[in-house]
Amino acid sequence: AAGVIQSPRHLIKEKRETATLKCYPIPRHDTVYWYQQGPGQDPQFLISFYEKMQSDKGSIPDRFSAQQFSDYHSELNMSSLELGDSALYFCASSLDPRGATNEKLFFGSGTQLSVL
Amino acid sequence: AQKVTQAQTEISVVEKEDVTLDCVYETRDTTYYLFWYKQPPSGELVFLIRRNSFDEQNEISGRYSWNFQKSTSSFNFTITASQVVDSAVYFCALSEANSGYSTLTFGKGTMLLVSP
């Protein structure tokens, strides 16, 4: 079965650069979620989209923005990168915005962002 | 206040030992969902189980079992006859009605090291 696809798998950037992470949800899923996991930390919710509209917002910095496109894939854009942005970024998708009500809530394999 | 507490930061066992990972949660909602995820060294988040707050039945899946007790707000995870491949960080997570079940709040994780 198709899973949540994230690209790239790894990304290395310099301070003050920009980065774009992509997430392709499971087919027919209309909701995507972004989480950030710092080194040795638990995943923290950033933002979610349902039917191409922002549905929920967590601890996402103003330097970050995201959107969901007509094909339901989502992109997380990060500007003016800082060393502290180095983290594993996960995307998850679900059939509707009540993600936890899905029998299983799957995450992508994550994008490891390293800011040097 | 932390909503999901995994008091054990790290546990080390020898192969074939049984091990229990503790999870205590806090919520004012009467309806909520609890999850366990496994994060092996490769980094991906692997879904293990989802439990609805109305379903207190314990569950067993192979060597894995879960003990959900609302009276103590705990959702503990036991691995029987542990194997080296069980070495990973295990996260307990909560999703609540007041968030529309849209996001997960993770515990800090328990790192399990299984040695041969």
Side-chain angles (χ1 to χ4, degrees), chain A residues 9 33 35 37 41-43 45 56 88 90 97-105 107 109, chain B residues 33 35 37 39 42-45 47 50 91 95 99-104 106-109:
Chain A
R9 187 72 179 89
Y33 312 82
Y35 284 78
Q37 185 182 21
Q41 301 297 311
D42 53 299
F45 172 70
D56 209 346
L88 188 54
F90 286 106
R98 302 166 303 154
T101 62
N102 286 227
E103 183 179 346
K104 299 180 182 180
L105 188 56
F107 283 78
S109 296
Chain B
Y33 291 87
F35 295 77
Y37 285 88
Q39 188 172 44
S42 49
E44 71 271 25
L45 279 172
F47 171 90
R50 182 199 72 153
F91 289 99
S95 184
S99 72
Y101 308 113
S102 64
T103 61
L104 298 181
F106 287 84
K108 296 297 182 185

Side-chain angles (χ1 to χ4, degrees), chain A residues 82-93:
Chain A
E82 302 173 356
L83 296 178
D85 296 328
S86 295
L88 188 54
Y89 291 83
F90 286 106
C91 174
S93 73

Side-chain angles (χ1 to χ4, degrees), chain A residues 3-11 20-24 33-37 43 76 78 87-92 106-114, chain B residues 39 42-46:
Chain A
V4 178
I5 306 297
Q6 291 187 246
S7 69
R9 187 72 179 89
H10 297 92
L11 189 58
T20 297
L21 277 52
K22 296 184 179 182
C23 170
Y24 297 87
Y33 312 82
W34 287 97
Y35 284 78
Q36 177 192 56
Q37 185 182 21
L76 177 65
M78 297 175 284
L88 188 54
Y89 291 83
F90 286 106
C91 174
F106 292 108
F107 283 78
S109 296
T111 293
Q112 179 66 58
L113 172 66
S114 298
Chain B
Q39 188 172 44
S42 49
E44 71 271 25
L45 279 172
V46 179

Side-chain angles (χ1 to χ4, degrees), chain A:
Chain A
V4 178
I5 306 297
Q6 291 187 246
S7 69
R9 187 72 179 89
H10 297 92
L11 189 58
I12 299 174
K13 290 287 185 178
E14 300 275 343
K15 280 173 55 177
R16 292 180 287 280
E17 284 190 326
T18 61
T20 297
L21 277 52
K22 296 184 179 182
C23 170
Y24 297 87
I26 292 172
R28 294 186 299 280
H29 282 194
D30 55 16
T31 307
V32 293
Y33 312 82
W34 287 97
Y35 284 78
Q36 177 192 56
Q37 185 182 21
Q41 301 297 311
D42 53 299
Q44 295 287 322
F45 172 70
L46 292 178
I47 196 167
S48 62
F49 290 86
Y50 166 60
E51 284 292 344
K52 292 152 279 184
M53 300 287 289
Q54 180 182 309
S55 59
D56 209 346
K57 190 173 181 180
S59 51
I60 184 169
D62 292 339
R63 298 178 291 107
F64 293 8
S65 65
Q67 57 181 324
Q68 185 179 31
F69 295 85
S70 57
D71 64 350
Y72 297 107
H73 94 271
S74 178
E75 295 184 2
L76 177 65
N77 300 292
M78 297 175 284
S79 62
S80 302
L81 286 170
E82 302 173 356
L83 296 178
D85 296 328
S86 295
L88 188 54
Y89 291 83
F90 286 106
C91 174
S93 73
S94 64
L95 279 169
D96 62 53
R98 302 166 303 154
T101 62
N102 286 227
E103 183 179 346
K104 299 180 182 180
L105 188 56
F106 292 108
F107 283 78
S109 296
T111 293
Q112 179 66 58
L113 172 66
S114 298
V115 182
L116 306 178

Side-chain angles (χ1 to χ4, degrees), chain B residues 7-78:
Chain B
Q8 305 146 308
T9 305
E10 185 174 318
I11 301 176
S12 293
V13 298
V14 177
E15 228 178 357
K16 297 182 185 175
E17 283 186 21
D18 299 346
V19 59
T20 295
L21 310 181
D22 298 333
C23 174
V24 174
Y25 61 92
E26 180 184 328
T27 180
R28 293 182 179 178
D29 287 327
T30 56
T31 306
Y32 49 89
Y33 291 87
L34 294 163
F35 295 77
W36 275 95
Y37 285 88
K38 173 182 179 180
Q39 188 172 44
S42 49
E44 71 271 25
L45 279 172
V46 179
F47 171 90
L48 295 178
I49 191 172
R50 182 199 72 153
R51 174 63 77 220
N52 180 308
S53 56
F54 293 114
D55 182 4
E56 284 195 75
Q57 264 195 329
N58 290 332
E59 181 156 340
I60 298 174
S61 175
R63 295 184 298 107
Y64 295 169
S65 62
W66 290 270
N67 183 355
F68 177 30
Q69 299 214 348
K70 289 179 74 171
S71 60
T72 56
S73 296
S74 64
F75 186 41
N76 296 337
F77 172 33
T78 298

